[in-house]
Amino acid sequence: MKKIIFTIILFIYNLIFSQDFITNPEFPTETDIIEITFNIQELTRKDLVGYIGTLYTHTGVNTNLGNWQYVIGSWGDNNSQPSLTKVSTDVYKITINNPREFYNLTNLNEHISTLNFVLRSSDGTKQSEDLFISLFEVGLNVKILEPQYLPFYPLSGEEINFVIVSSDADSLKLFVNNQIVASTSEDTLRKTIIAEGSGRQWIKFIAEGNGETFIDSVHFIIRENVTIEELPNGIKTGINYIDANTITLALFAPNKKFVYAIGDFNNWEFDPDSSKSWEFDSKYYFKLTPDSTIYWITLNNLTANQEYRFQYLVDGKLKIADPYSDKILEAEDSFISNDTYPNLIQYPNDKTSFSVSVFQTSQTQFQWEANEYIKPAQEKLIIYEMLIRDFVSTHSYETLIDTLDYLQKLGINAIELMPVNEFEGNESWGYNPSFYFAPDKYYGTKNDLKKFIDECHKRNISVIMDIVLNHMYGRSSFVRLYASGDYGPVTSENPWFNVSSPNPVFSWGYDLNHENITTQELVDRVTKYWLEEYKFDGFRFDFTKGFTNTIGDGSSFDQSRINILKRMADNIWEFDSTAYIILEHFAPDSEEKILTDYGMMVWGNVNYNYNEATMGYNDNSNFGRISYKNHGFTKPNLVGYMESHDEERLMYKNLTYGNVFGDYSIKNLNTALDRIKTAAAFFILIPGPKMIWQFEELGYDYSIDYNGRVGNKPIKWDYLEVEERKNLYKTIAALNYLKQNYETFSTSNFTLSTITSTKKIQLSHESMNAVIIGNFDVTEKTIVPDFQNTGKWFNYFSGDSIEITNTQASITLEPGEFHIYTTVKLPTPEQGILVDIKNEEDKIIPHFELLQNFPNPFNPKTIIQYSIPITEKIITSNVKLVVYDVLGRVVKIFVSQDQKPGNYEVEFNAKELSSGIYYYKLSYGSFSIIKKMVLLK
């Protein structure tokens, strides 16, 4: 019987055979009982050395149909993921009884090539690298222990050591180019040869025993010396587009031996021309700059506008994507729908592994329209923080654009997107970045993102990018280029990262060393790229407390960190002097004062105190630190918030833990929502920028830990059907209007009294004075507002007025009651300033308007709003509002008659219709507006 098995596939991914583990039997099959013993001290990653708790494993298999298939459980789930048995210190074992059954393989045409393991601590904070254990066919087999990576690429004259072991072999033979060079009757063959000649060289192993013959054929390629040549003018690291048929690739890789390009242009092979198998093909072999830092190559004869997938093959064994690529492919891309990312080029599963880059010449440039957009002043920012995944069900920029009318009407003037650059996996918060220059495809195309930003700018809404420059994760090419394992840890050669984080208390991924010039250059290039290419209006930088090499938890004053952040800010402002720089810093006030004085903004988390107040508990309800003055700042550069992606939802705690006194219960929905209104008045109108977390304006009441902290949360557009929640939205919209339109609410002359359950704010400005009072207790209370002057004061929400003759007169407030008084009579929300269109009868828009329906997508109901202008003379032509399906068939006629000027709202119930795209059209005479909506069931 003769077997021919090409084991080379296993070796191009990893070092398979090592002392990291021992298997019993030595040549396990996919139906054996396999005992695997792991030696923790021999692992590349040393996280688990000395660990005394229970070890668990994240485990799956590679098969002929794909990699990392049939993964058991989910990361960190100790109830579903297998545990290991401790043998001795740092030695653990696990028994896999029949891998096909253990991993539940039922397809008889699918076969396991490797068992895959990542060992982890019980809390998931410590882990090993990826470990791969090969499986074999029953019978005679061969393992190649050296060379460790196949194929390999020596220079002529280099020594090559071979170590081959076999099971049940009577003889082992080694051939080079069909010439026998070694043989043995033992179970191990060792031989050293000298690489001679050039180009492709063939290696063959023959094992014979028990009437079987095992033949394994592989190759190596003798390469040429690298050509030394200066980098062409104007070329920078990454992908450089020269013309429709030419690009230049450049990779910063000091201390590496050679770089070769593999991809669609050469069938992913080092030496693609088999007709020249005895010659070295240098077409994709990189040159090296004289300072030995940058490898580069120019590729010609490319097809214009064609997408090419490619990687860098470094030193013949490391495959990395271009770290500056604006499009990255991953194996999980198959889960991205064509609706979200149309015609996404497939990840080349059958060609390679690890992250893959894409380049494309002659791309159509995005045409920006809102070129005259001007950002709002920092102190007037009302930022809406958003995780796209949990905001719209399609998790797409295209759908997100459809929500902009809703957000514009809310009165926000900035949207902060949680990280949208390429991160590991699909459904993520985004704080596990892998590639800084590529938008993550889970949200759509790069032009979809640009269109979203452009549409925001048309509505005078800024877009702020949340970005993580404290750390990166293991898929990053910056990590992998200098790492001791496939995905880290980084080595001391790495020019961007610290080998270990100086902050052991708060540490994620691999820590960027911001004192290195290479890291500083990377940071500057990243920030300029997103400002220039995508027209983001600024950044929220995650965990800037970590931008330091000072040992500790980051809570002490750190001048070196200040210097690093100032340097970064100077570079940003040199390109865009108006760019927002927001830091998640949480360092001492004395340090943050220096940074805010410099023009940066810092996050101000007052979630706990506001929530104590809304729940009706007074001991810790002093939210006075919402004021920048109470931090000792001289500039209003504190971005205060009651909720953020990192904090518990106020309404969840109101409904779960709210105080109860007699018939007054904060656990009641309407009461809990009213408490949020009161808090909002004492939040938004405090001078300085503010931030709202998505759906906070509707009283979102699912815990941050619902479905796990970073797990998907319910998308609750149906809240709009609850009148009390809609009233909260209206209240916050009215407060946002005040903040943006009256200078009183940006004054520097204000005081807060927030210690007791009755709280007040006095704001003074030459244009108008204001006083806000509120009762956060659960019983009736009396408060002295301390009006700044006598005379007539106007209640903003009711429109009523009171005559103040004694500024020390008291006012009695019911629990949860609040009032905003001003010395100037302002239009009330009920008069049509910022409430829903159906209530805006006194505010007639001077042109036809058809708003985007909301929610959109919807199931089964949605709201359509439109306006008929007072300037039009409706005499002979009817106003029509009609809904059509994609084939143009009429689905619903809402209006087909003369209508008076005004603002209107109708509800479309699609209960009897199927999922799909529908259109609604508003027309009058020859004039018409058409919009699209999506029904998802």
Side-chain angles (χ1 to χ4, degrees), residues 733-754:
L735 297 171
N736 289 340
Y737 180 84
L738 288 181
K739 185 176 188 70
Q740 292 189 39
N741 289 278
Y742 298 95
E743 291 303 315
T744 297
F745 303 103
S746 296
T747 183
S748 60
N749 185 6
F750 67 94
T751 59
L752 278 69
S753 299
T754 55

Side-chain angles (χ1 to χ4, degrees), residues 261-296:
I262 56 174
D264 291 332
F265 40 77
N266 62 4
N267 199 33
W268 298 89
E269 294 181 6
F270 187 94
D271 192 11
D273 191 349
S274 59
S275 66
K276 299 179 180 179
S277 61
W278 301 103
E279 299 178 16
F280 176 69
D281 185 354
S282 60
K283 183 178 180 181
Y284 304 102
Y285 194 52
F286 282 57
K287 300 174 182 178
L288 178 63
T289 55
D291 63 359
S292 300
T293 61
I294 298 177
Y295 285 91
W296 66 275

Side-chain angles (χ1 to χ4, degrees), residues 595-635:
L595 297 170
T596 55
D597 282 349
Y598 205 67
M600 292 175 258
M601 293 177 276
V602 296
W603 261 21
N605 177 14
V606 203
N607 168 267
Y608 176 78
N609 305 94
Y610 271 108
N611 218 162
E612 289 296 297
T614 63
M615 289 190 296
Y617 301 111
N618 301 322
D619 290 346
N620 297 297
S621 69
N622 182 5
F623 45 71
R625 279 179 65 82
I626 193 64
S627 167
Y628 68 91
K629 290 185 177 182
N630 289 336
H631 291 253
F633 298 174
T634 56
K635 293 185 177 181

Side-chain angles (χ1 to χ4, degrees), residues 98 122 128 204 223 371 510 581 741 745 800 813 825 827:
N98 191 323
S122 59
S128 72
K204 182 168 66 176
R223 59 187 175 88
N371 294 310
Y510 298 106
I581 298 177
N741 289 278
F745 303 103
D800 297 335
L813 299 173
K825 182 173 176 59

Side-chain angles (χ1 to χ4, degrees), residues 501-572:
S501 172
N503 186 334
V505 179
F506 303 106
S507 182
W508 304 271
Y510 298 106
D511 187 71
L512 282 160
N513 181 355
H514 285 271
E515 293 184 355
N516 275 0
I517 185 65
T518 48
T519 302
Q520 293 173 4
E521 290 172 349
L522 172 61
V523 166
D524 295 344
R525 186 165 167 183
V526 168
T527 53
K528 181 181 178 182
Y529 171 76
W530 291 103
L531 293 172
E532 182 176 34
E533 181 68 21
Y534 288 84
K535 296 194 177 184
F536 274 97
D537 299 292
F539 302 95
R540 179 266 188 189
F541 291 102
D542 183 67
F543 196 67
T544 52
K545 185 189 290 188
F547 286 28
T548 179
N549 281 349
T550 301
I551 303 298
D553 64 1
S555 61
S556 300
F557 183 92
D558 188 343
Q559 184 62 48
S560 67
R561 181 168 53 199
I562 294 171
N563 297 341
I564 287 168
L565 292 169
K566 282 185 174 181
R567 188 214 65 78
M568 180 183 74
D570 287 341
N571 187 271
I572 291 172

